[in-house]
Amino acid sequence: MLIFLLLMLQLRFSPANSATRNRLAGEVVPVSAVQSRTRDGDEDKYGGLRATDLDLNNFSLTEYGSDGTWLKLILDQVHCVKEVVLYYSSGNPWLTFTCSQTECSCVDEFCKYLTLTVYSERIVADNLPLVSECKYGDTVKIQKNGGGSLGLREISITEKQGRITTDSELES
């Protein structure tokens, strides 16, 4: 918990720089974002899309809400999400969540502070092939485990590229 608090302080007080992040190959750009409760109600300064605008100078920031602390990124359609990366203000990766057909997991010691889920909230994802190396969904939700605020500098969401190989094709 102390380390997470230190990260929040680093996010809030890091010196301004002109750093930007480049879009990755296969990166999915969210069309909108919803947070549990935006800090000071200031969407322009702390809104959810601040975490996907490629600008490492700003970030999304929530306040604790009655339903917890979370950020939902809404995608344009159902995608087969392969990986979600959270970044430091330097542009270096902080946490990487790798998705399978059932969940997205992370192996860093700080992963215990966050839960990341990919699911379909608006679009029914029927008749899609079973794929073991990605998770289908139109929504990515990052939930902070425990109380307090959630500040995220930059997030990338990448989908599986190329032809999707089904699990049954892998077995044959």
Side-chain angles (χ1 to χ4, degrees):
M1 188 67 169
L2 176 62
I3 293 173
F4 199 77
L5 180 59
L6 291 173
L7 174 66
M8 291 303 300
L9 289 172
Q10 187 250 349
L11 281 174
R12 187 169 288 159
F13 298 112
S14 63
N17 57 40
S18 61
T20 57
R21 183 181 69 77
N22 294 321
R23 290 253 182 250
L24 304 173
E27 185 169 346
V28 179
V29 180
V31 294
S32 64
V34 180
Q35 297 183 133
S36 52
R37 186 174 168 188
T38 301
R39 174 70 182 255
D40 301 328
D42 191 341
E43 285 294 321
D44 290 335
K45 188 172 184 179
Y46 300 118
L49 284 177
R50 290 293 196 177
T52 63
D53 65 0
L54 303 177
D55 187 343
L56 295 166
N57 292 321
N58 52 40
F59 50 92
S60 69
L61 184 60
T62 67
E63 292 176 341
Y64 184 73
S66 60
D67 61 343
T69 305
W70 49 264
L71 168 67
K72 278 199 261 186
L73 299 169
I74 313 304
L75 310 179
D76 62 336
Q77 64 184 24
V78 172
H79 291 269
C80 199
V81 176
K82 177 181 160 187
E83 188 175 80
V84 178
V85 179
L86 311 181
Y87 294 88
Y88 286 111
S89 61
S90 65
N92 293 325
W94 172 43
L95 297 176
T96 300
F97 291 83
T98 304
C99 301
S100 69
Q101 71 182 22
T102 57
E103 67 180 355
C104 297
S105 59
C106 177
V107 296
D108 191 278
E109 68 178 285
F110 299 111
C111 298
K112 63 185 174 187
Y113 298 111
L114 300 173
T115 301
L116 187 136
T117 52
V118 174
Y119 60 97
S120 291
E121 189 170 90
R122 301 168 296 115
I123 303 168
V124 177
D126 290 338
N127 301 320
L128 295 172
L130 291 177
V131 179
S132 59
E133 57 222 7
C134 57
K135 177 96 169 93
Y136 286 109
D138 65 6
T139 304
V140 174
K141 183 177 181 180
I142 302 168
Q143 174 102 29
K144 183 167 182 283
N145 301 323
S149 61
L150 174 64
L152 297 169
R153 183 66 66 172
E154 225 5 78
I155 302 168
S156 66
I157 302 166
T158 52
E159 66 181 335
K160 179 160 175 41
Q161 296 275 293
R163 183 176 176 278
I164 292 179
T165 304
T166 65
D167 287 348
S168 60
E169 290 175 318
L170 290 173
E171 291 172 0
S172 45

